[in-house]
Each structure stands twice: as C-alpha cells, then as structure tokens.
Amino acid sequence: MNIRRVQLDVDWAASGPGIRDVAEAIDDVTGVAAATIIITEIDLETIGTDIAIEGQDVDLDELIKAIENAGAVVHSIDLLAFGERIVDHIPRVR
C-alpha cells in the first residue's frame, strides 16, 4: 500500500525525549518526505503532540517503531491517506 499521509496522536514524558529527538527519528523512516510536529498539551508529566507526515510509500510499521524507540508513545492513527494521490476530506453537511 502506497501510504502518502499519516496523522498521529503521540505523547512522551516531559522528562523524556525532546521534540528534535522525535523529529530525527521520523526523518530517518523510509518514505518520509516531510513532517510537522505540533505540541498540543503540556502538563507536569507529559507532552502531547499531533504529528503529520507526508511522503511516498511511508513504512508505517517502521514509523511507529522509530517514534517508540525515541521514547514516545503512539496513541492513535488519526488519518491515513494512501494510493496514487491524496483525496481531500470533505466534511458531510447534516
């Protein structure tokens, strides 16, 4: 499967890795062309982030292992785009 975009909910301990450590781990993953890490929460014990990754044939298993080896935890995969092109999400009108 040609994974082109992934959005993850990732946390790490405040005393754990820094944002640069996680970024370097992601940058080394096969297929990753670009990524953005946004810190969404900081408390005494944890740092919460949203991480968006784009590329061509991103190795999802390698990506998750790299993040975890850097000392972070992947809570969920919130978006997965794959195929020949990226299809934009169009919210339903109710």
Side-chain angles (χ1 to χ4, degrees):
M1 178 179 357
N2 178 9
I3 296 175
R4 300 173 64 90
R5 182 182 292 164
V6 181
Q7 186 162 338
L8 305 169
D9 175 8
V10 177
D11 290 354
W12 60 80
S15 62
I19 194 170
R20 186 176 178 137
D21 299 317
V22 176
E24 288 174 349
I26 292 168
D27 195 37
D28 289 338
V29 173
T30 302
V32 171
T36 301
I37 301 173
I38 299 171
I39 295 175
T40 57
E41 289 184 62
I42 298 176
D43 64 30
L44 292 175
E45 295 182 9
T46 60
I47 296 173
T49 64
D50 288 336
I51 301 178
I53 294 123
E54 287 194 359
Q56 185 76 18
D57 288 321
V58 175
D59 188 323
L60 187 59
D61 293 331
E62 182 184 345
L63 176 63
I64 291 169
K65 285 179 188 173
I67 291 169
E68 290 175 348
N69 287 340
V73 176
V74 176
H75 286 287
S76 63
I77 300 170
D78 297 334
L79 179 142
L80 184 65
F82 57 93
E84 292 297 315
R85 59 187 175 85
I86 294 175
V87 178
D88 289 328
H89 171 70
I90 302 170
R92 288 187 335 184
V93 176
R94 295 181 185 193

